[in-house]
């Protein structure tokens, strides 16, 4: 239920008092401790919307693709982003070396052709980790390839290899969640990625039935597998079966890999606010809040590409029903663009402050290119203001809350630099480096650093003063003293 306080704020807004003035001028009281908050960006490879900008047909082209990704990741790091959702399964085609599905054509210009001496997912993981950012493999679940792409791939295509798992949907194919083998197929894909790559998370997208208007007829599937269940309940159970299969497959090999998904932005109708017929549970069969509460999901990224009363009460509902796990609403920053809805920057700024005020687990942005284009000055606002203080990703304390042992640090002064070295800590995956100034304020110098020595060369010699600390961080995000 919506709390009385926030409900009152929303009602005041309806009567003409903008939440902008209620929230933008609330004091942002940040403690000396480092903030824990997810700051994520969707990095889209579908049709090269974010990357790559061109196919690579030569070794030189590959180097240009790599340089472009490095530049974008550099900008995301400077902006304060700490999680990259990298689109890895695209449309029954992939951005990594797979024994199950073929390469997407975006990397070479030809469907099924492997990039020249280059694995995009492996490269993206390496570059993200070098910048202290997590990388989650974004896996598009049910939408499959266009019919024309399937013809190009021939017997490598999903419709040719697994015809019972897909249905024709206009000019494309889509996987049928009601076929039991669909769950095991998607789970195998996610398990393959988790086994082969040092990913930090699996992020499921389009883990839902098609919305109205998309041609999809599962009458035959329902007759065969419905077992007398009510149709909508059966559909919800089918989607949950896929989520559970992915959970079980990934947890069995790497239990620290975070599982998340991006449900439709409104879970269901609220007592005082209607979802307008477009919600996760009833329109597309996503019981996402239940997945979080049952432990099938670690995080949720509801796609809240809305404004006004289509945003605020539903955002609060997600947070109140989170069961203590991070809910990171996705913001539709592409609507800032003049060619889209031309929202003013204040729409997104207001939503950002509201989410932080109600205790959301963070924020996510769809999509990267609109961040980097600095549409309506959003990039500057994040970099210089809202994300001016770096943040750590919250630990997965619901799975493991035991911190690793503290490393032993030694410091050596070398002219205008400090050489920090420390002993490896058992169970540590990486390390965080801090400087504590003379006022006792703690500044995060590096996060997720995977070595055991670091040279600190500040721009100002005065920053060499103070105390320096290193903490060990395990795979679950638990941090030592």
């Amino acid at each position: 239920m919506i709390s009385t306080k926030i409900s009152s704020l929303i009602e005041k807004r309806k009567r003409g008092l903008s939440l902008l003035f209620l929230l933008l001028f609330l004091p942002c009281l940040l403690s000396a401790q480092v903030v824990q908050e997810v700051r994520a960006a969707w990095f889209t490879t579908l049709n090269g919307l974010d990357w790559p900008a061109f196919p690579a047909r030569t070794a030189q082209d590959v180097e240009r693709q790599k340089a472009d990704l490095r530049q974008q990741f550099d900008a995301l790091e400077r902006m304060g982003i700490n999680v990259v959702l990298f689109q890895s399964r695209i449309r029954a085609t992939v951005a990594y070396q797979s024994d199950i599905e073929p390469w997407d054509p975006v990397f070479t210009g030809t469907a099924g052709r492997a990039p020249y001496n280059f694995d995009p997912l492996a490269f993206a993981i390496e570059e993200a980790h070098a910048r202290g950012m997590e990388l989650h493999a974004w896996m598009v679940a049910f939408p499959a390839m266009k019919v024309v792409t399937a013809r190009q791939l021939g017997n490598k295509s999903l419709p040719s290899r697994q015809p019972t798992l897909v249905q024709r949907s206009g000019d494309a194919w889509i996987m049928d969640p009601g076929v039991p083998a669909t769950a095991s197929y998607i789970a195998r894909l996610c398990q393959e990625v988790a086994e082969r790559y040092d990913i930090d998370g699996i992020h499921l997208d389009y883990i839902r039935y098609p919305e109205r208007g998309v041609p999809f007829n599962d009458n035959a599937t329902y007759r065969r597998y419905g077992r007398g269940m009510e149709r909508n309940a059966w559909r919800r159970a089918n989607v949950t079966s896929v989520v559970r299969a992915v959970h079980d497959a990934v947890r069995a090999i790497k239990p620290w890999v975070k599982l998340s998904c991006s449900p439709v932005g409104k879970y269901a109708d609220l007592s005082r606010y209607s979802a307008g017929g477009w919600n996760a549970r009833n329109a597309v069969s996503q019981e996402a809040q239940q997945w979080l509460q049952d432990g099938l999901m670690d995080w949720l990224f509801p796609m809240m590409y809305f404004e006004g009363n289509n945003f605020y009460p539903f955002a609060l509902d997600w947070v109140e029903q989170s069961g203590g796990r991070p809910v990171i609403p996705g913001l539709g920053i592409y609507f800032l663009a003049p060619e889209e809805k031309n929202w003013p920057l204040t729409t997104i700024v207001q939503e950002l402050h509201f989410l932080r005020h109600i205790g959301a687990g963070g924020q996510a942005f769809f999509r990267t290119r609109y961040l980097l284009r600095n549409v309506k000055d959003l990039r500057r606002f994040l970099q210089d203001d809202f994300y001016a203080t770096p943040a750590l990703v919250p630990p997965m304390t619901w799975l493991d809350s035991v911190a690793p042992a503290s490393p032993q640090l030694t410091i050596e002064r070398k002219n205008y630099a400090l050489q920090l070295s420390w002993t490896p800590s058992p169970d540590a995956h990486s390390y965080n480096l801090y400087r504590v100034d003379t006022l006792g304020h703690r500044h995060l110098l590096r996060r997720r650093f995977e070595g055991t020595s670091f040279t600190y060369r500040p721009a100002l010699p005065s920053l060499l003063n103070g105390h320096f600390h290193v903490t060990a961080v395990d795979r679950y995000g638990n941090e030592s003293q």
Side-chain angles (χ1 to χ4, degrees):
M1 181 178 293
I2 298 177
S3 68
T4 303
K5 181 178 180 181
I6 301 300
S7 178
S8 175
L9 288 178
I10 295 170
E11 286 302 306
K12 287 181 180 178
R13 186 182 189 278
K14 291 182 69 178
R15 292 194 298 268
L17 182 59
S18 172
L19 273 172
L20 179 64
F21 295 100
L22 292 174
L23 295 173
L24 287 185
F25 296 101
L26 285 173
C28 296
L29 299 177
L30 297 179
S31 73
Q33 303 305 308
V34 174
V35 173
Q36 291 184 348
E37 180 178 69
V38 177
R39 301 168 177 178
W42 277 280
F43 195 81
T44 310
T45 58
L46 174 68
N47 297 326
L49 289 175
D50 289 325
W51 180 82
F54 52 85
R57 297 184 174 90
T58 66
Q60 291 77 14
D61 288 343
V62 168
E63 293 307 311
R64 289 171 56 212
Q65 282 187 350
K66 289 181 176 180
D68 185 21
L69 183 139
R70 288 191 187 102
Q71 290 174 0
Q72 294 196 55
F73 278 20
D74 282 342
L76 292 175
E77 180 193 10
R78 287 193 299 269
M79 203 180 309
I81 297 299
N82 56 19
V83 174
V84 176
L85 304 172
F86 181 86
Q87 192 169 25
S88 304
R89 188 192 190 218
I90 302 168
R91 290 294 187 272
T93 52
V94 295
Y96 57 90
Q97 181 61 51
S98 172
D99 293 336
I100 303 172
E101 293 196 322
W103 286 97
D104 191 85
V106 72
F107 301 103
T108 63
T110 302
R113 177 177 294 174
Y116 178 78
N117 197 27
F118 174 47
D119 186 321
L121 177 58
F123 180 72
I125 292 169
E126 180 181 355
E127 295 298 323
H129 288 176
R131 292 161 178 79
M133 300 187 296
E134 290 194 359
L135 190 136
H136 296 215
W138 165 11
M139 310 287 283
V140 174
F142 299 145
M145 59 194 61
K146 295 286 188 180
V147 171
V148 64
T149 305
R151 289 175 182 152
Q152 292 170 357
L153 285 167
N155 59 12
K156 294 181 181 178
S157 72
L158 180 62
S160 294
R161 293 183 295 105
Q162 299 281 352
T164 61
L165 301 188
V166 295
Q167 290 204 33
R168 179 76 176 263
S169 177
D171 65 347
W173 294 92
I174 189 167
M175 297 191 74
D176 189 340
V179 177
T182 294
S184 58
Y185 182 86
I186 293 176
R188 281 197 299 118
L189 280 168
C190 295
Q191 188 175 50
E192 180 185 54
V193 170
E195 283 177 337
R196 293 187 174 184
Y197 296 91
D198 187 23
I199 56 171
D200 301 289
I202 293 283
H203 176 68
L204 298 175
D205 191 16
Y206 281 98
I207 186 76
R208 66 184 196 240
Y209 271 84
E211 57 267 31
R212 289 180 184 174
V214 175
F216 181 78
N217 187 335
D218 62 347
N219 290 337
T221 309
Y222 177 59
R223 286 195 298 270
R224 182 173 183 180
Y225 298 110
R227 302 183 302 278
M229 293 179 65
E230 188 270 330
R231 181 71 163 261
N232 290 332
W234 172 73
R235 281 186 161 191
R236 289 193 293 270
N238 293 336
V239 179
T240 298
S241 292
V242 178
V243 173
R244 181 174 288 107
V246 170
H247 169 275
D248 293 349
V250 174
R251 282 282 193 265
I253 55 172
K254 289 183 179 177
W256 61 82
V257 169
K258 300 176 182 71
L259 300 171
S260 70
C261 68
S262 50
V264 168
K266 303 171 185 177
Y267 179 65
D269 288 343
L270 305 176
S271 59
R272 298 168 62 187
Y273 296 92
S274 169
W278 176 240
N279 63 57
R281 187 178 189 275
N282 300 314
V284 293
S285 308
Q286 294 176 305
E287 291 193 291
Q289 289 183 351
Q290 194 64 47
W291 301 339
L292 202 63
Q293 293 164 12
D294 289 347
L296 298 179
M297 286 282 149
D298 299 302
W299 294 355
L300 291 183
F301 291 87
M303 300 180 295
M304 304 202 67
Y305 309 159
F306 315 118
E307 58 180 334
N309 287 335
N310 287 312
F311 179 88
Y312 295 103
F314 295 96
L316 186 59
D317 177 62
W318 284 111
V319 172
E320 289 187 337
Q321 302 303 321
S322 67
R325 298 193 182 189
V327 171
I328 307 106
L331 305 183
I333 61 171
Y334 63 100
F335 283 142
L336 293 171
E339 66 271 20
E340 294 288 345
K341 292 190 176 181
N342 202 27
W343 281 357
L345 178 63
T346 51
T347 297
I348 296 297
V349 170
Q350 176 180 345
E351 293 177 351
L352 287 167
H353 280 285
F354 182 82
L355 292 176
R356 190 173 277 176
H357 182 63
I358 64 174
Q363 313 86 32
F365 302 98
F366 187 81
R367 53 189 174 79
T368 292
R369 181 159 295 177
Y370 292 91
L371 280 178
L372 302 190
R373 278 175 53 188
N374 196 27
V375 178
K376 299 286 176 67
D377 219 23
L378 174 62
R379 174 177 175 176
R380 185 215 57 78
F381 167 73
L382 293 175
Q383 187 165 315
D384 298 343
D385 187 342
F386 201 70
Y387 289 164
T389 301
L392 298 174
V393 172
M396 301 170 71
T397 53
W398 50 92
L399 293 180
D400 186 310
S401 60
V402 179
S406 300
Q408 300 302 308
L409 174 66
T410 59
I411 303 175
E412 181 181 358
R413 178 80 178 253
K414 293 183 177 180
N415 297 323
Y416 296 107
L418 294 179
Q419 183 66 38
L420 283 67
S421 303
W422 55 94
T423 57
S425 174
D427 300 321
H429 168 256
S430 59
Y431 300 89
N432 294 331
L433 283 66
Y434 298 93
R435 172 182 172 270
V436 182
D437 63 26
T438 55
L439 298 177
H441 298 145
R442 189 160 59 125
H443 305 273
L444 180 62
L445 302 179
R446 290 292 299 268
R447 66 187 173 213
R448 283 189 56 105
F449 187 75
E450 296 184 3
T452 55
S453 66
F454 177 75
T455 302
Y456 177 54
R457 291 189 179 91
L460 300 174
S462 61
L463 296 179
L464 293 171
N465 301 322
H467 298 282
F468 292 83
H469 302 283
V470 175
T471 60
V473 184
D474 68 13
R475 280 289 194 170
Y476 298 91
N478 298 303
E479 188 176 20
S480 72
Q481 294 294 315

